[in-house]
Amino acid sequence: MPAVSFTTCYLVVVLRGIGVPVLLAYIITLVHPVSGIGANWGSQTSHRLPPETMVRMLRENGIQKIKLFDADYDTLRAFGRSGIEVMVGIPNDMLATFASSSKAAEKWVNKNVSHHISTNNVNIRYVAVGNEPFLKTYNGTFLRTTYPALRNIQQALVKARISNQVKVTVPLNADVYSSSTSLPSGGDFRADIHDFVIQIVKLLSDNNAPFTINIYPFISLYTDPSFPVEYAFFDGNATPLNDGGTNYYNMFDANHDTLVWALQKNGFGNLPIIIGEIGWPTDGDRNANLEYAQRFNQGFMAHISGGKGTPMRPGPIDAYLFSLMDEDDKSIDPGNFERHWGIFRYDGQPKYPLNLGTTNSGSLVPARGVIYLQQKWCIMKQNARLDGSDVAPSVSYACARADCTCLGYQTSCGNLDARGNISYAFNSYYQKNNQLDDACKFSGLGTITRADPSTGTCKFNIMIKAYYASAGQLSGCILRTSTLVVSVALFLLTNL
């Protein structure tokens, strides 16, 4: 939803030829969209950069809107006096509490919204109640708690007298609607959740709040091998989809307008829409790479920069890129790419050239003052046998507790040999555990080196100093295994 700014303008016009200043006492209330792009900032990472470092990086990149998934106190406080608009998040596991207790909702709003606005001067504009709570994979877990939680949070904002500034919303996945005709004009909300969605939509409409939707062309390509690749991008190279004389040249416009049609059919055609998440990952899958990510995100920026909008919704698009940073602790149940959505690496360094149209240089500005651990890595000993009995359990242990998502078919480290795969796994665990000596033992298979083992596109990372202590103490035997974990190791030990 375009952020609303109320500006009182006094225009003094000197009428040439008359020579008399005329004060035009027009007090004009202007409602206009904030320029620029927003970004999602997730916290599922083992080693965080200090919030102050992140906020400075956001400001230096001209990113004016940020979407959070929780209400971490230090993170929110860091946004004080920054001018950056903040969407604060309520995780799904808190929905039941707020659904059943208006007092709990009031307490949360007072602590996480009102306090930061009044005391820390944080520009909080939205509260995201839940995160894709109607996702099909949740099997209806949050269907009956999302609306009551939303209602109680809205009432809490009213009671706190901040409901004019702070709006509620529910970020939903695009799977909440579909088209009976495979065209945007056939769009409607899914029959099994229709009434639940409309209940939410009505509350949003009644309170001048936006509908937030997450749209991912990458996921369509990932789940459907026959999906036309060019249709995911904005280059105009795809065969257009004709909907009653309206041509759609990319999936984003078609998907977005399917939602517009769904809203329109149910009597809410003018409800504001926010694109809560949109982006492209850079690793963990053959279609998740730097080239495609740069092409998609730069194409999207060009697509929305002119304020053209979509065929069904002309005008500026309010969007948040997903995401700001890579998150090495994210669940990989949806796919290994989940940890690689960032336009910045885990250390705040840009991954590829991207012009957001917000900096003088036309490129991303890296985080400053990042503190790295020592220049040393953990690798497999050269004289260690690849077929040793401890190898598979060691690799499995490392990958289960660190991040091996860069190892796989056509990924950044997909060309490593078996020894390289093992070394990568060892180093990932070693770095995540703050380079503790015990984290490179692996039954005598590991050794510490100061020679960078990175090769080609495969980078062996050096971890940053964590803002919060995140790597717990190593405990017990380092080699607890299971049949499932061993099978993972056997895959990694093959020559890819």
Side-chain angles (χ1 to χ4, degrees):
M1 174 186 181
V4 179
S5 174
F6 299 93
T7 306
T8 302
C9 301
Y10 296 90
L11 302 180
V12 179
V13 177
V14 177
L15 300 179
R16 292 185 179 181
I18 300 178
V20 179
V22 178
L23 175 63
L24 300 181
Y26 292 158
I27 302 177
I28 306 171
T29 300
L30 298 175
V31 180
H32 62 86
V34 172
S35 60
I37 189 73
N40 288 265
W41 178 15
S43 59
Q44 297 182 62
T45 179
S46 64
H47 290 65
R48 297 181 62 193
L49 287 169
E52 293 75 16
T53 300
M54 294 293 295
V55 171
R56 183 176 65 225
M57 184 179 76
L58 288 169
R59 295 184 69 177
E60 291 180 348
N61 280 282
I63 296 174
Q64 301 166 349
K65 299 173 293 184
I66 198 72
K67 178 168 166 279
L68 305 174
F69 294 89
D70 52 28
D72 177 73
Y73 182 86
D74 288 342
T75 299
L76 282 170
R77 184 176 59 178
F79 283 101
R81 297 182 176 85
S82 68
I84 296 172
E85 290 190 0
V86 178
M87 181 186 295
V88 64
I90 295 175
N92 291 335
D93 60 11
M94 297 176 69
L95 294 176
T97 298
F98 299 144
S100 61
S101 172
S102 59
K103 291 295 183 183
E106 291 171 10
K107 184 177 179 180
W108 187 93
V109 166
N110 288 332
K111 177 183 177 182
N112 299 293
V113 184
S114 299
H115 172 77
H116 286 289
I117 291 174
S118 61
T119 303
N120 297 327
N121 290 297
V122 181
N123 186 18
I124 298 176
R125 303 303 296 270
Y126 304 104
V127 175
V129 183
N131 182 46
E132 298 186 336
F134 292 174
L135 201 63
K136 286 182 180 178
T137 54
Y138 290 149
N139 296 317
T141 302
F142 307 109
L143 274 181
R144 300 187 183 279
T145 55
T146 301
Y147 173 76
L150 179 71
R151 179 195 61 214
N152 286 342
I153 291 293
Q154 171 61 31
Q155 291 175 354
L157 293 173
V158 172
K159 189 171 183 177
R161 299 182 179 180
I162 54 175
S163 59
N164 286 334
Q165 173 184 343
V166 184
K167 299 298 180 180
V168 291
T169 190
V170 181
L172 295 169
N173 187 277
D175 71 353
V176 299
Y177 51 86
S178 60
S179 172
S180 58
T181 62
S182 298
L183 298 172
S185 59
D188 202 350
F189 297 110
R190 279 185 9 232
D192 59 317
I193 61 171
H194 183 275
D195 292 347
F196 292 102
V197 175
I198 295 303
Q199 200 176 28
I200 289 172
V201 167
K202 186 177 186 309
L203 185 147
L204 297 177
S205 178
D206 289 346
N207 292 282
N208 299 313
F211 190 103
T212 300
I213 195 70
N214 302 338
I215 298 177
Y216 283 111
F218 169 81
I219 300 297
S220 297
L221 182 59
Y222 178 77
T223 57
D224 182 5
S226 63
F227 183 86
V229 176
E230 291 300 319
Y231 199 57
F233 298 98
F234 301 92
D235 306 316
N237 298 328
T239 301
L241 180 70
N242 187 291
D243 186 1
T246 299
N247 286 323
Y248 287 91
Y249 293 89
N250 62 81
M251 180 195 161
F252 170 78
D253 283 357
N255 191 298
H256 179 280
D257 281 4
T258 303
L259 168 60
V260 176
W261 276 102
L263 290 170
Q264 186 171 295
K265 285 178 182 176
N266 289 280
F268 299 93
N270 294 320
L271 190 68
I273 295 172
I274 286 178
I275 308 304
E277 299 178 16
I278 186 167
W280 200 281
T282 57
D283 216 337
D285 179 71
R286 63 189 182 92
N287 290 313
N289 53 60
L290 295 173
E291 178 187 355
Y292 275 6
Q294 194 275 342
R295 181 183 175 193
F296 180 85
N297 283 330
Q298 194 64 73
F300 179 70
M301 291 305 304
H303 188 62
I304 69 172
S305 63
K308 179 182 177 182
T310 66
M312 287 293 290
R313 273 289 178 93
I317 290 176
D318 193 357
Y320 295 78
L321 290 178
F322 193 87
S323 68
L324 190 63
M325 306 273 290
D326 281 354
E327 298 174 74
D328 63 348
D329 275 346
K330 281 197 73 176
S331 168
I332 57 173
D333 286 346
N336 286 343
F337 55 83
E338 277 296 332
R339 295 176 177 173
H340 304 280
W341 287 98
I343 58 175
F344 292 93
R345 286 162 31 96
Y346 68 98
D347 55 359
Q349 306 306 302
K351 293 183 183 178
Y352 48 84
L354 182 61
N355 184 359
L356 299 178
T358 54
T359 63
N360 292 331
S361 65
S363 58
L364 296 176
V365 179
R368 292 189 284 125
V370 179
I371 302 174
Y372 294 86
L373 302 183
Q374 295 184 53
Q375 294 287 301
K376 57 182 182 179
W377 298 261
C378 177
I379 61 173
M380 187 184 192
K381 288 180 178 177
Q382 282 298 114
N383 60 355
R385 292 168 51 111
L386 290 173
D387 59 355
S389 60
D390 290 327
V391 172
S394 295
V395 172
S396 297
Y397 186 92
C399 288
R401 290 156 179 81
D403 183 19
C404 294
T405 56
C406 294
L407 302 174
Y409 177 65
Q410 291 189 7
T411 58
S412 63
C413 295
N415 292 323
L416 295 180
D417 59 16
R419 191 173 296 274
N421 282 332
I422 298 165
S423 292
Y424 187 93
F426 284 5
N427 184 66
S428 180
Y429 183 81
Y430 176 66
Q431 300 295 340
K432 191 168 184 178
N433 285 279
N434 299 314
Q435 298 183 349
L436 293 176
D437 288 343
D438 282 350
C440 189
K441 289 187 175 179
F442 295 105
S443 299
L445 295 171
T447 186
I448 296 171
T449 179
R450 292 190 177 273
D452 188 350
S454 301
T455 175
T457 61
C458 185
K459 184 172 179 59
F460 282 58
N461 291 325
I462 292 286
M463 188 48 73
I464 60 174
K465 182 179 179 181
Y467 175 68
Y468 297 118
S470 55
Q473 295 295 317
L474 298 179
S475 61
C477 176
I478 207 169
L479 298 176
R480 289 172 293 173
T481 64
S482 67
T483 303
L484 175 62
V485 177
V486 170
S487 67
V488 174
L490 294 176
F491 168 75
L492 292 173
L493 292 174
T494 59
N495 290 326
L496 300 176

